């Protein structure tokens, strides 16, 4: 990382003694950078590791001797073993992303393609019902419920959303081999969109610069961003894994739709793809009540917002914000753009690929 980032890298001295729950090790994190961005929706962060670094049956391409970890919050801890032992079926379809990398957009596309463009059913059932978030109750501190059981009880074929690193996915993923579609996004836009998510869903009221420091220093839930992307990139040649990017979808949505349809074993006419492209446009998605998660936004306002924020904030936030490339230019100073450029350079050099940044 660049010279300005050394002070924000997670240091061993910032970690409290670990405690283990069977297969996992959880180390409570306490450092200034993370403490500045903890808020009602995400608090009490832990570094999560496995004793041998990776699940036993994970593809050899990931067995590279690297020590892996993921940052999660305390409500994830009781879910860790449940997810590790989660029953996986061959006809499951997973969409996995680092947060705010085009997840909702991809979920709607994938569900419709895999359900023969059943728009009528999609309109009547929310995306949360059709394509639930596996570890939701372990990713928002006050959300409550049991998201793992909800996914377990889905009718097959199940469509499952997750932000988990490859290391934390169910063990059976690697033996049963359901279809996995991973979506990446350039770090500057991902960080900017995540900042707005933190502000409007998680209840963060601090400066955006503190949030960007946490992103660059791997002090956010699901971090490290680079390792998250890298492992799925390494898996891209597995026959059950498709790696796409937000930028590819923005540049040529039709091409990505056809690519995903082929991956799912589906065929559609040009006219059907025309209709799907229009359905997946940003304006259409923002107006689509089954996708824009208004209930989650209203829940966040009631539960995670400070009293002052509830009284004074007139921000008309929508979960599907603007779906553009380059919006970081509005929120980032030149100094932070330079720091993120260095972050991206190191990321792409280490991975050896071009993510259409």
């Amino acid at each position: 990382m660049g010279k300005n980032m050394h002070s924000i890298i997670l240091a061993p001295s910032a970690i409290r003694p670990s405690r283990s729950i069977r297969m996992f090790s959880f180390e409570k994190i306490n450092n200034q950078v993370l403490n500045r961005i903890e808020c009602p929706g995400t608090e009490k962060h832990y570094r999560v590791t496995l004793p041998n670094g990776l699940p036993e049956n994970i593809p050899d391409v990931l067995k590279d001797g690297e020590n892996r970890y993921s940052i999660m919050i305390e409500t994830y801890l009781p879910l860790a073993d449940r997810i590790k032992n989660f029953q996986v079926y061959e006809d499951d379809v997973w969409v996995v992303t680092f947060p705010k990398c085009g997840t909702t957009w991809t979920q709607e596309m994938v569900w419709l393609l895999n359900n023969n463009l059943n728009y009528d059913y999609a309109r009547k059932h929310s995306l949360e019902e059709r394509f639930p978030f596996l570890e939701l109750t372990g990713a928002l501190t006050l959300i409550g419920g049991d998201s793992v059981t909800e996914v377990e009880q889905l009718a097959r074929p199940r469509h499952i959303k997750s932000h988990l690193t490859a290391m934390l996915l169910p063990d059976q993923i690697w033996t049963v081999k359901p279809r996995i579609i991973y979506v990446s996004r350039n770090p500057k836009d991902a960080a900017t969109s995540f900042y707005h998510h933190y502000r409007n869903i998680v209840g963060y009221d601090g400066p955006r610069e503190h949030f960007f420091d946490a992103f660059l220093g791997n002090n956010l839930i699901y971090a490290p961003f680079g390792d998250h992307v890298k492992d799925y990139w390494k898996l891209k040649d597995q026959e059950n894994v498709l790696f796409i990017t937000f930028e590819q979808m923005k540049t040529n949505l039709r091409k990505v739709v056809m690519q995903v349809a082929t991956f799912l074993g589906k065929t559609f006419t040009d006219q059907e793809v025309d209709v799907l492209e229009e359905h997946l446009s940003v304006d259409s998605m923002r107006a689509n009540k089954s996708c824009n998660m208004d209930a989650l936004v209203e829940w966040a306002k009631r539960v995670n917002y400070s009293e002052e924020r509830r009284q004074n904030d007139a921000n008309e936030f929508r979960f599907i914000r603007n779906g553009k490339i380059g919006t970081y230019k509005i929120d980032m100073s030149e100094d932070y753009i330079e720091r993120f450029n260095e972050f991206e350079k190191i990321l792409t050099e280490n991975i050896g690929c071009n993510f259409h940044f």
Side-chain angles (χ1 to χ4, degrees):
M1 294 186 179
K3 60 182 180 181
N4 294 325
M5 291 182 233
H6 293 301
S7 63
I8 62 175
I9 296 175
L10 207 60
S13 61
I15 303 172
R16 295 177 183 173
S18 66
R19 63 192 184 98
S20 296
I21 298 179
R22 291 186 290 177
M23 299 179 229
F24 288 94
S25 175
F26 303 100
E27 298 172 307
K28 182 72 169 65
I29 306 170
N30 181 20
N31 65 64
Q32 182 183 12
V33 174
L34 188 144
N35 291 344
R36 292 188 308 195
I37 59 95
E38 283 205 337
C39 46
T42 57
E43 58 180 3
K44 301 178 183 177
H45 290 68
Y46 288 76
R47 184 195 292 244
V48 182
T49 57
L50 282 168
N52 298 318
L54 289 167
E56 181 179 350
N57 292 317
I58 208 160
D60 289 343
V61 69
L62 294 187
K63 296 177 181 177
D64 48 21
E66 294 187 15
N67 294 321
R68 287 168 171 80
Y69 71 92
S70 182
I71 304 298
M72 298 298 291
I73 61 173
E74 192 167 75
T75 53
Y76 166 78
L77 273 56
L79 302 184
D81 280 339
R82 289 184 62 199
I83 291 174
K84 185 176 176 61
N85 296 310
F86 182 81
Q87 176 76 53
V88 175
Y89 299 105
E90 190 175 3
D91 58 356
D92 288 343
V93 179
W94 294 65
V95 165
V96 183
T97 72
F98 191 87
K100 311 312 294 181
C101 288
T103 321
T104 303
W105 195 16
T106 307
Q107 286 175 269
E108 181 72 352
M109 171 180 64
V110 169
W111 191 92
L112 285 167
L113 288 173
N114 207 40
N115 284 276
N116 301 314
L117 306 179
N118 191 343
Y119 296 104
D120 185 57
Y121 187 93
R123 278 191 294 270
K124 295 175 182 177
H125 298 82
S126 72
L127 194 56
E128 297 103 307
E129 295 175 77
R130 293 180 279 124
F131 217 131
F133 182 6
L134 177 65
E135 73 275 9
L136 173 61
T137 50
L140 276 172
T141 302
L142 303 172
I143 193 72
D146 182 354
S147 57
V148 176
T149 295
E150 290 175 10
V151 175
E152 287 173 337
Q153 294 175 348
L154 283 178
R156 295 171 58 186
R158 303 180 305 184
H159 295 77
I160 303 169
K161 162 189 167 180
S162 179
H163 295 310
L164 292 173
T165 62
M167 174 189 77
L168 298 181
L169 288 179
D171 284 351
Q172 289 186 17
I173 286 276
W174 314 115
T175 53
V176 178
K177 298 185 178 180
R179 290 182 176 89
I180 300 171
I181 298 164
Y182 184 82
V183 192
S184 185
R185 189 179 191 181
N186 79 78
K188 291 193 289 290
D189 280 335
T192 300
S193 186
F194 207 8
Y195 160 71
H196 286 284
H197 178 88
Y198 252 65
R199 176 168 167 74
N200 293 287
I201 300 296
V202 183
Y204 174 67
D205 287 338
R208 67 194 68 189
E209 291 79 11
H210 289 178
F211 183 85
F212 293 150
D213 287 344
F215 190 102
L216 290 166
N218 297 326
N219 279 282
L220 287 172
I221 188 171
Y222 294 111
F225 175 86
D227 288 348
H228 200 292
V229 176
K230 180 174 66 174
D231 277 351
Y232 287 101
W233 171 256
K234 288 182 176 181
L235 291 165
K236 72 185 189 311
D237 293 327
Q238 303 290 310
E239 63 179 2
N240 65 311
V241 178
L242 178 64
F243 188 107
I244 59 177
T245 73
F246 180 92
E247 289 75 15
Q248 289 171 336
M249 292 173 71
K250 289 297 298 182
T251 302
N252 192 338
L253 179 59
R254 189 181 195 88
K255 181 178 180 181
V256 176
V257 165
M258 299 303 293
Q259 186 180 13
V260 173
T262 299
F263 179 69
L264 295 172
K266 302 289 185 176
T267 303
F268 300 98
T269 67
D270 288 343
Q271 292 76 17
E272 287 173 325
V273 176
D274 290 341
V275 174
L276 180 57
E277 276 195 280
E278 175 57 31
H279 178 84
L280 294 173
S281 69
V282 173
D283 288 343
S284 177
M285 288 287 289
R286 281 173 62 86
N288 186 342
K289 292 187 180 298
S290 75
C291 293
N292 55 29
M293 301 193 188
D294 286 345
L296 177 63
V297 175
E298 290 305 313
W299 169 85
K301 289 179 179 179
R302 292 194 312 272
V303 176
N304 289 337
Y305 283 26
S306 65
E307 185 61 35
E308 181 181 3
R309 176 88 179 275
R310 281 194 290 266
Q311 291 178 0
N312 300 327
D313 194 344
N315 178 28
E316 294 299 324
F317 173 79
R318 302 290 295 276
F319 193 86
I320 300 171
R321 206 165 56 88
N322 58 37
K324 295 180 180 178
I325 299 173
T327 57
Y328 67 87
K329 297 172 185 176
I330 299 171
D331 289 291
M332 281 188 191
S333 66
E334 288 299 321
D335 175 59
Y336 275 91
I337 291 174
E338 182 179 343
R339 291 170 64 181
F340 268 89
N341 284 341
E342 181 67 17
F343 178 85
E344 292 175 18
K345 179 181 177 183
I346 294 171
L347 171 59
T348 53
E349 285 177 348
N350 287 343
I351 298 177
C353 70
N354 182 343
F355 289 115
H356 300 269
F357 294 156

